[in-house]
């Protein structure tokens, strides 16, 4: 049985590779520790960045964990720098191919964001495993806003039609971390699944604590040196810490 099967936290391992074959290989290696695999399409280069729906279907069928497709724009900390219509197109194709999740940014132009959310809510087509679902995300790589601003973002994510909200900020102090983790109380009141933690060294502890406080999911790197965001822990380290906590609680 995989470590993921015995885990208390839902763990998404985030994978970014320039080459599709390398991405698939990394996904297979990371799968035993993961509940979900995030494929960062914005990291793909050349012809690999233009995946047809047939290739996406093959990915969904061949990889041993549910897949989350993300095509993060440069204006929200990612690598994609092209037209927005072209950025959103592979997310729609991934949904059509039967993926489990897509990530669409709250700050995406409303009409495009709504297209992705509507497609994620559509029932599965014949032969698809599950209907796609939309994570509506918001990232701040510079700091952490005040509590009122953070709460407003969570409410806007829910109002946008997100199945799950994701709010991630850069922490410069423990106060930043506490403000973000406290959002789980609002999320519980709203009955709204929320991913909320902080980046950076100060925020590292929140990547584990968030799930203990009701967070929907946390993220990890496949290996040391492969983080897709500042402060992201390797999956094996996060699972080891979690196992120690669970063992002490028995």
């Amino acid at each position: 049985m995989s470590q993921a099967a015995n885990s208390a936290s839902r763990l998404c391992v985030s994978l970014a590779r320039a080459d599709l074959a390398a991405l698939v290989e990394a996904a297979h290696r990371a799968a035993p520790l993961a509940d979900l695999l995030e494929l960062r399409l914005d990291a793909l280069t050349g012809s690999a960045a233009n995946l047809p729906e047939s290739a996406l279907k093959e990915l969904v069928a061949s990889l041993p964990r549910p897949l989350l497709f993300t095509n993060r724009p440069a204006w929200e900390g990612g690598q994609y720098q092209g037209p927005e219509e072209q950025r959103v197109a592979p997310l729609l194709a991934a949904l059509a191919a039967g993926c489990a999740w897509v990530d669409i940014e709250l700050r995406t132009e409303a009409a495009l964001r709504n297209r992705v959310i509507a497609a994620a809510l559509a029932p599965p087509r014949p032969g698809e495993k599950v209907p796609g679902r939309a994570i509506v995300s918001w990232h701040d790589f510079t700091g952490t806003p005040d509590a009122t601003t953070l709460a407003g973002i969570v409410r806007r994510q829910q109002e946008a039609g997100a199945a799950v909200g994701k709010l991630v900020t850069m922490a410069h102090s423990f106060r930043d971390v506490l403000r973000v983790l406290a959002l789980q109380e609002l999320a519980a009141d709203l009955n709204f699944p929320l991913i909320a933690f902080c980046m950076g060294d100060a925020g590292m502890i929140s990547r584990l604590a968030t799930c203990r406080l009701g967070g929907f999911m946390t993220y990890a790197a496949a290996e040391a040196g492969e983080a897709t965001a500042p402060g992201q822990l390797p999956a094996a380290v996060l699972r080891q810490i979690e196992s120690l906590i669970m063992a002490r609680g028995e």
Side-chain angles (χ1 to χ4, degrees), residues 142-176:
T142 62
T144 300
D146 60 74
T148 300
T149 300
L150 292 172
I153 292 165
V154 173
R155 293 181 186 277
R156 285 165 53 206
Q157 289 172 333
Q158 186 179 42
E159 290 164 2
V164 175
K166 181 187 179 190
L167 193 156
V168 180
T169 70
M170 180 64 71
H172 298 292
S173 73
F174 73 91
R175 291 181 176 87
D176 294 337

Side-chain angles (χ1 to χ4, degrees), residues 8-12 36 101 133 135 163-165 184 187 192-196 210-219:
S9 299
R10 183 180 286 109
L11 177 61
C12 177
L36 191 72
W101 296 93
R133 286 168 284 184
I135 296 171
V164 175
Q184 294 300 346
F192 180 51
L194 181 66
I195 300 162
T210 185
C211 289
R212 295 279 163 177
L213 297 174
F216 180 79
M217 183 165 70
T218 191
Y219 287 66

Side-chain angles (χ1 to χ4, degrees), residues 41 53 56 60 69 89-102 128 132:
L41 301 180
E53 188 175 326
L56 290 167
V60 170
F69 285 83
L91 299 179
L92 294 169
L95 288 167
C99 73
W101 296 93
V102 294
E128 290 178 354

Side-chain angles (χ1 to χ4, degrees), residues 5 14-15 18 39 53 119 209-210 234 236 240 250:
S14 185
L15 301 163
L39 305 186
E53 188 175 326
T210 185
Q240 184 178 25
E250 291 178 354

Side-chain angles (χ1 to χ4, degrees), residues 15-30 39 43-45 48 59 63 222 226:
L15 301 163
R17 298 289 189 279
D19 174 76
L20 182 59
L23 181 64
V24 172
E25 180 184 353
H28 280 285
R29 290 201 313 269
L39 305 186
L44 293 172
T45 59
L59 279 176
L63 291 175
E226 296 182 358

